[in-house]
């Protein structure tokens, strides 16, 4: 038996060696085929465009006789407009571009025509609600990977607390019959802990840590959140407005790792840290007399919280074995918070917080 197993292992190794040799030869032939072409030569170009995708989510009720579910009334309708994907595989590197023109989510339980849409991009602005560009290329300046994310359209979210609570109750009831949410949450937390412990710490200790980074460039228009004061009163257009401003994410990366430099001992901080900065700019809160004027949710604002900015900077050490520097440094900054509240706004906030906690 031992002789047979030995012969089988030798045969497997021989077959595996031949396969690897063929793959290497094929790769070399392909390189010879493209060697005289520029690095930007496109080998494969793929495009996908989906004009409109619609989803309808129904309220469900349990049938007592069979214990099954049946559809009842509409809860939500979702329309996704013009979703596109473009990808190119070049001689050196590849890239992909994902774009989405608009998403419109409407709730069907509340019949107030002013607030039937609960999520949508501004229809008066041309452009995309979201664009994502990804490139992987070893010849990029400071990283093999580049990600750019941006948006052209302003997004509005209508928070109808009564309807949202009802929808959340319905969804939770359905999910709880098929998924153990507590078990899933516990498993996710354990997976993250194990990844940090086994994936990062052990690699550093064993000396197998490989530095990787990502060039990020994000510029997004954050949602404007509209909270109607009286959702069931069709004639009352007053609302609470919370603007999250714009989101900016940038990475500041050192030059690529130089094999001639001993990163475990150098003291030049500019060569040792990947820096990622996240900023929320222009956050504000106000009450608005006429939220539905011209359907753009801009009226006579009475400021409750003046515009302010929030930023966070995270510095990651590219060589954890350099004991002269901290592995992770996090800095946060919030600009001046200037609240200006009148009696009506104070009562509104108390009512709103009460609805959330109930």
């Amino acid at each position: 038996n031992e002789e047979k197993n030995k012969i089988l292992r030798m045969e497997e190794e021989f077959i595996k060696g031949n396969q690897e040799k063929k793959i290497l030869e094929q790769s070399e032939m392909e390189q010879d085929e493209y060697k005289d072409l520029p690095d930007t030569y496109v080998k494969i170009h793929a495009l996908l465009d989906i004009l409109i995708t619609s989803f309808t989510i129904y309220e469900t009720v349990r049938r007592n006789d069979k214990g099954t579910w049946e559809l009842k009334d509409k809860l939500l309708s979702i329309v996704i407009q013009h979703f596109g994907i473009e990808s190119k595989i070049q001689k050196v590197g590849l890239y992909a571009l994902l774009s989405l023109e608009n998403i419109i989510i409407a709730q069907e339980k509340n019949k107030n025509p002013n607030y039937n849409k609960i999520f949508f991009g501004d229809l008066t602005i041309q452009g995309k609600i979201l664009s994502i560009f990804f490139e992987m290329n070893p010849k990029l300046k400071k990283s093999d990977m580049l990600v750019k994310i941006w948006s052209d359209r302003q997004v509005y979210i209508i928070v109808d607390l009564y309807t949202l609570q009802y929808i959340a109750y319905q969804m939770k009831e359905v999910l709880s019959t098929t998924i153990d949410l507590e078990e899933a949450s516990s498993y996710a937390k354990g997976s993250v802990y194990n990844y940090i412990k086994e994936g990062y710490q052990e690699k550093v200790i064993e000396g197998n840590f490989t530095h990787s980074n990502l060039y990020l460039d994000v510029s997004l228009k954050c949602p404007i959140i509209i909270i109607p004061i009286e959702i069931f009163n069709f004639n009352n257009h007053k609302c609470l407005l919370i603007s999250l401003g714009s989101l900016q994410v940038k990475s500041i990366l050192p030059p690529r790792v130089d094999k001639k430099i001993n990163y475990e001992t150098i003291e030049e901080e500019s060569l040792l840290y990947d820096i990622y900065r996240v900023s929320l700019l222009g956050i504000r809160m106000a009450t608005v007399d006429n939220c539905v004027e011209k359907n753009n949710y801009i009226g006579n604002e009475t400021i409750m919280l003046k515009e302010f900015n929030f930023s966070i900077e995270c510095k990651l050490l590219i060589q954890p074995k350099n004991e002269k520097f901290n592995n992770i440094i996090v800095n946060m900054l919030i600009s001046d918070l200037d609240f200006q509240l009148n009696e009506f706004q104070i009562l509104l906030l108390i009512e709103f917080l009460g609805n959330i906690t109930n």
Side-chain angles (χ1 to χ4, degrees), residues 73-224:
D73 300 324
K74 290 182 180 180
L75 280 178
L76 294 173
S77 61
I78 304 170
V79 178
I80 300 173
Q81 298 177 342
H82 201 174
F83 172 73
I85 301 176
E86 179 183 3
S87 63
K88 286 184 180 181
I89 299 177
Q90 302 175 152
K91 178 188 172 184
V92 177
L94 62 89
Y95 81 76
L97 175 64
L98 284 73
S99 61
L100 178 60
E101 188 171 303
N102 207 351
I103 297 179
I104 300 173
I105 303 176
Q107 52 84 14
E108 306 291 342
K109 296 297 291 183
N110 176 21
K111 302 303 179 182
N112 189 334
N114 298 319
Y115 307 113
N116 65 323
K117 291 183 290 187
I118 61 175
F119 184 101
F120 60 97
D122 193 338
L123 301 175
T124 65
I125 297 175
Q126 296 296 319
K128 308 293 184 181
I129 197 173
L130 181 66
S131 298
I132 302 174
F133 175 82
F134 170 80
E135 183 176 5
M136 182 178 289
N137 190 330
K139 293 193 174 182
L140 291 173
K141 190 174 181 181
K142 292 187 176 182
S143 174
D144 287 351
M145 293 181 290
L146 177 150
V147 175
K148 290 186 177 183
I149 305 174
W150 69 96
S151 61
D152 305 309
R153 290 179 187 265
Q154 180 65 63
V155 172
Y156 293 94
I157 299 175
I158 311 298
V159 179
D160 169 7
L161 294 175
Y162 302 101
T163 303
L164 289 180
Q165 287 173 355
Y166 183 81
I167 293 172
Y169 172 78
Q170 289 290 325
M171 298 297 289
K172 184 177 180 181
E173 186 176 352
V174 173
L175 289 173
S176 62
T177 61
T178 56
I179 301 173
D180 188 333
L181 298 177
E182 290 186 4
E183 183 180 348
S185 175
S186 177
Y187 175 78
K189 290 177 182 177
S191 298
V192 171
Y193 173 78
N194 289 333
Y195 172 80
I196 293 173
K197 181 182 177 182
E198 298 174 7
Y200 179 78
Q201 291 182 351
E202 291 186 5
K203 285 182 178 179
V204 173
I205 294 169
E206 295 172 4
N208 296 325
F209 177 80
T210 302
H211 167 252
S212 62
N213 59 16
L214 172 67
Y215 182 82
L216 270 174
D217 185 1
V218 178
S219 181
L220 290 173
K221 293 182 178 179
C222 292
I224 291 179

Side-chain angles (χ1 to χ4, degrees), residues 207 261-267 272 319-324:
I261 298 175
N262 185 351
Y263 288 88
E264 294 183 18
T265 58
I266 64 170
E267 298 183 3
L272 283 170
Q319 177 46 265
K321 285 193 173 183
N322 192 324
E323 298 179 355
K324 298 174 183 176

